[in-house]
């Protein structure tokens, strides 16, 4: 990557969280949320990206995070002027972050470098680790980490520095890395902080019922490779779920305060989540412009028909991090299987998705020209492509120039949850970072992307009475599901149901 500095003068205004007013209209006493479902991005309150990002201050996870493996953790990072940081990573034995296993205390230095040339809208940074320490919260956690270290030769030397499990002392901190002592056991653990090498800070205003809007600041850090063996080498090009400023976070956020008050000896124990049975029927939408590694910007809208287990989805692709300059749109449809409980990720559901039909709409000149010059048999057959006109590519088994192959099968991991505002969220499996597709059971994801938001549960099935709503899904005062969505933080997501393999 060329090392030229780009001038940092501008403040980008992006589109993010919707305003409540634009999300729906009342017709004949019923709420209609269609406009939001069809057009996820227009009508949103502005999101501002701070360039260069200002990192000073404390930042926390907004809930229990899942990394590939799976690993369950919460994060609490504090940045100090001019370049120092102290990061806590709290690891858990359970997917709700209620049983602390061990905590890492990470200290080091971070320097912002330049605007990323790969991920538009992000800033690249260099970091150095000064110290990494670990505190075990149970004997079992110590044993597990020692076993993991024991798997490699370098790790065995490190494992010997830990006490035997029977000599576990609650509260003792063991050093995994010390720059001064030139000791480093992080490699043997597969640990890295490469997430700090890609940074983005965003702000938006969260509308408040009967109060002034609330400032929300989000810190996006680089994504974690889905293959553990690759983690140490991978330089992120996408993001994880954002941390939020401990001072300016979306409300309510029960986890934020708990995490901000914790340290390596007092790991946060999160409140039990409101898990929802997996009821996919309805329409689900990206709450913002999504970024995925290898850098696609897109928004998604899915409709699931529960009674015949069919689905359809729109993938709107863009060339910019604000999702304002469309490049092409893909419509895809197919079926999915009845779910079975996941053996690997507690509380999740395994599903298999089929993509059997696809349509493509070029939305800019470049894509239109690219499709016009491609071999007709590779995408859509004979006939002209024109800007803004949709064509069916099912008969040509997809569209090779766009990496769409049909029919296609994906092994999926789904979970539904309710956020503190009562909003239904759908978590879909994280895509393999290498750009491949989870087309075998072995490649089924073990972690999630940031969630989609339920925007139209009523659409699920008009021919039958609607299923009873889960108890806790009581509407807040004066809002349907989408109204509550208005107060969701702006999330950058990665592609879900990605049957695209970029060429
Ligand atoms: C690590 O390996 C050594 C021998 O290779 C063994 O004695 C020790 O018990 C192992 N430790 C753990 C925690 O598995
Ligand atoms: C499933 O049902 C929905 C309506 O509920 C319908 O629009 C859709 O075409 C059906 N899909 C299939 C594949 O039968």
């Amino acid at each position: 990557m060329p090392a030229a500095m780009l001038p940092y003068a501008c403040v980008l205004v992006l589109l993010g969280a919707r305003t409540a007013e634009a999300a729906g209209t009342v017709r004949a006493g019923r709420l209609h949320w269609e406009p939001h479902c069809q057009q996820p991005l227009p009508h949103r309150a502005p999101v501002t990206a701070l360039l260069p990002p200002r990192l000073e201050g404390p930042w926390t996870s907004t809930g229990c995070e899942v990394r590939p493996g799976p690993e369950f953790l919460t994060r609490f990072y504090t940045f100090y002027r001019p370049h120092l940081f102290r990061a806590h990573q709290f690891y858990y034995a359970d997917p709700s972050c209620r049983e602390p296993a061990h905590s890492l205390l990470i200290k080091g230095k971070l320097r912002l470098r330049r605007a990323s040339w790969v991920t538009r809208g992000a800033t690249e940074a260099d970091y150095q680790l000064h110290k990494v320490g670990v505190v075990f919260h149970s004997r079992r956690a110590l044993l597990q980490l020692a076993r993991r270290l024991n798997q490699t030769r370098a790790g065995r030397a490190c494992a010997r520095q830990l006490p035997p499990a029977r000599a576990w002392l609650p509260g003792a901190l063991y050093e995994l890395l010390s720059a001064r002592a030139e000791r480093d056991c992080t490699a043997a653990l597969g640990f890295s902080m490469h997430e700090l090498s890609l940074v983005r800070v965003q702000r938006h205003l969260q509308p408040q019922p009967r109060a002034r809007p609330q400032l929300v600041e989000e810190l996006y850090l680089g994504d974690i490779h889905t293959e553990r063996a690759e983690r140490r080498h991978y330089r992120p090009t996408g993001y994880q779920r954002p941390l939020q400023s401990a001072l300016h976070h979306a409300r309510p956020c029960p986890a934020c305060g708990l995490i901000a008050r914790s340290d390596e000896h007092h790991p946060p124990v999160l409140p039990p989540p409101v898990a929802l049975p997996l009821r996919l029927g309805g329409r689900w939408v990206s709450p913002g412009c999504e970024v995925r590694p290898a850098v696609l910007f897109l928004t998604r809208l899915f409709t699931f028909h529960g009674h015949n287990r069919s689905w359809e989805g729109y993938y709107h692709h863009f060339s910019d991090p604000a999702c304002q300059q469309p490049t092409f749109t893909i419509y895809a449809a197919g079926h999915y299987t009845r779910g079975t409980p996941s053996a690997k990720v507690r509380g999740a559901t395994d599903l298999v998705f089929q993509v059997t039909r696809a349509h493509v709409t070029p939305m800019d000149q470049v894509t239109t020209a690219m499709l016009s010059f491609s071999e007709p048999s590779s995408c859509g057959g004979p006939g002209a492509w024109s800007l803004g006109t949709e064509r069916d590519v099912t008969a040509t088994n997809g569209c090779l120039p766009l990496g769409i192959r049909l029919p296609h099968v994906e092994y999926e991991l789904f979970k539904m949850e309710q956020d503190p505002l009562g909003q239904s969220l759908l978590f879909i499996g994280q895509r393999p970072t290498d750009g491949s597709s989870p087309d075998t059971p072995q490649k089924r994801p073990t972690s999630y992307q940031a969630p989609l938001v339920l925007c139209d549960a009523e659409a699920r099935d008009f021919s039958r009475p609607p299923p009873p709503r889960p108890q806790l899904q009581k509407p807040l005062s004066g809002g349907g599901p989408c109204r509550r969505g208005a107060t969701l933080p702006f999330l950058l997501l990665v592609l879900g149901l990605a049957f695209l393999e970029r060429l």
Side-chain angles (χ1 to χ4, degrees):
M1 185 70 3
M5 286 291 283
L6 290 184
Y8 273 135
C10 52
V11 170
L12 289 182
V13 173
L14 304 185
L15 293 178
R18 278 167 303 110
T19 59
E21 292 70 30
T25 52
V26 179
R27 268 187 232 130
R30 233 193 118 215
L31 290 167
H32 290 260
W33 303 108
E34 296 288 303
H36 163 53
C37 280
Q38 280 167 7
Q39 296 287 326
L41 281 176
H43 318 305
R44 293 186 171 190
V47 164
T48 313
L50 294 185
L51 287 178
R54 274 208 295 280
L55 299 178
E56 284 83 33
W59 302 84
T60 69
S61 307
T62 53
C64 192
E65 300 180 6
V66 186
R67 286 188 175 177
E71 289 178 332
F72 309 108
L73 78 161
T74 57
R75 295 178 289 157
F76 176 27
Y77 294 2
T78 308
F79 296 88
Y80 304 93
R81 246 176 246 266
H83 301 295
L84 297 178
F85 70 87
R86 189 180 62 197
H88 284 96
Q89 292 184 349
F90 306 104
Y91 288 84
Y92 300 82
D94 69 308
S96 309
C97 292
R98 295 177 54 71
E99 301 163 34
H102 67 272
S103 300
L104 297 182
L105 171 62
I106 305 139
K107 293 181 182 172
K109 195 184 231 182
L110 179 82
R111 271 179 198 279
L112 300 177
R113 288 298 175 198
R114 64 193 82 88
S116 169
W117 290 24
V118 179
T119 309
R120 285 178 61 186
T123 297
E124 290 177 4
D126 293 336
Y127 72 92
Q128 285 168 354
L129 298 181
H130 297 162
K131 269 185 192 299
V132 178
V134 60
V135 175
F136 298 98
H137 305 302
S138 69
R139 189 165 290 148
R140 201 167 64 144
L142 166 59
L143 201 61
Q144 265 171 359
L145 200 93
R147 278 208 197 103
R148 214 161 93 194
L149 283 171
N150 236 11
Q151 287 164 6
T152 60
R153 198 152 59 93
R156 276 192 283 279
C158 294
R160 280 196 292 275
Q161 289 168 23
L162 296 175
R166 67 192 127 72
W168 167 65
L169 286 179
L173 184 131
Y174 302 99
E175 214 162 58
L176 291 172
L177 176 148
S178 161
R180 195 173 300 155
E182 295 185 16
R183 181 172 52 237
D184 186 358
C185 287
T186 58
L189 258 188
F191 167 87
S192 98
M193 283 298 279
H194 291 344
E195 62 188 285
L196 293 177
S197 55
L198 199 70
V199 177
R200 177 180 171 91
V201 173
Q202 283 187 181
R203 280 181 175 172
H204 67 264
L205 290 174
Q206 179 193 24
Q208 298 293 316
R210 293 179 295 278
R212 278 197 303 162
Q214 179 92 36
L215 177 66
V216 177
E217 291 190 337
E218 291 174 314
L219 171 59
Y220 289 83
L221 296 174
D223 64 317
I224 307 294
H225 202 289
T226 50
E227 283 296 321
R228 190 186 278 274
E230 301 293 329
R231 275 193 200 174
R232 300 262 313 158
H233 313 291
Y234 175 67
R235 291 291 162 167
T237 56
Y239 304 114
Q240 302 171 63
R241 288 191 72 176
L243 301 176
Q244 292 194 5
S245 160
L247 311 172
H248 303 289
H249 59 77
R251 278 151 220 265
C253 178
C256 295
L258 289 169
I259 297 171
R261 284 192 297 275
S262 51
D263 61 41
E264 63 276 19
H265 301 295
H266 308 93
V269 174
L270 300 193
V274 182
L276 300 178
L278 194 71
R279 216 176 260 140
L280 293 177
R283 312 178 85 189
W284 300 83
V285 71
S286 321
C289 187
E290 307 181 16
V291 183
R292 76 168 204 150
V295 191
L296 290 172
F297 299 102
L298 79 162
T299 63
R300 296 173 293 157
L301 168 67
F302 291 136
T303 306
F304 298 98
H305 303 292
H307 65 288
N308 59 14
R309 287 206 296 276
S310 70
W311 70 276
E312 47 194 332
Y314 285 92
Y315 303 75
H316 299 283
H317 291 254
F318 301 84
S319 62
D320 64 307
C323 285
Q324 285 186 308
Q325 293 154 25
T327 51
F328 58 93
T329 293
I330 292 164
Y331 164 85
H335 283 90
Y336 58 97
T337 57
R338 197 185 291 280
T340 52
S342 164
K344 269 195 176 162
V345 188
R346 234 195 296 165
T349 302
D350 286 351
L351 295 156
V352 182
F353 274 78
Q354 271 182 343
V355 190
T356 49
R357 286 185 293 136
H359 300 173
V360 169
T361 314
M363 297 297 288
D364 68 353
Q365 293 294 354
V366 176
T367 313
T368 310
M370 193 260 290
L371 293 173
S372 300
F373 286 118
S374 64
E375 183 60 42
S377 65
S378 71
C379 186
W385 286 95
S386 69
L387 197 147
T389 308
E390 181 178 75
R391 289 187 61 191
D392 191 333
V393 299
T394 310
T396 49
N397 296 327
C399 180
L400 224 46
L402 293 177
I404 304 168
R405 298 204 181 93
L406 297 178
H408 181 81
V409 174
E410 292 210 341
Y411 293 83
E412 263 300 352
L413 186 78
F414 274 38
K415 161 179 94 163
M416 267 176 75
E417 232 172 58
Q418 197 171 55
D419 74 4
L421 289 163
Q423 164 110 8
S424 296
L425 304 176
L426 176 61
F427 292 80
I428 293 180
Q430 189 174 354
R431 318 322 297 171
T433 309
D434 63 9
S436 68
S437 145
D439 53 5
T440 63
Q442 292 72 36
K443 290 176 81 176
R444 194 191 294 275
T446 54
S447 59
Y448 309 100
Q449 312 163 48
L452 297 173
V453 173
L454 182 63
C455 67
D456 193 358
E458 273 70 36
R460 71 174 97 207
D461 186 357
F462 291 113
S463 62
R464 304 151 112 215
R469 277 172 175 268
Q471 274 251 298
L472 277 149
Q473 208 176 350
K474 277 194 230 100
L476 297 184
S477 56
C482 285
R483 167 68 181 266
R484 296 198 294 273
T487 52
L488 254 202
F490 175 83
L491 296 170
L492 286 179
L493 316 175
V494 247
L495 184 68
L497 298 180
F499 55 93
L500 292 172
E501 284 170 41
R502 302 294 294 176
L503 298 179

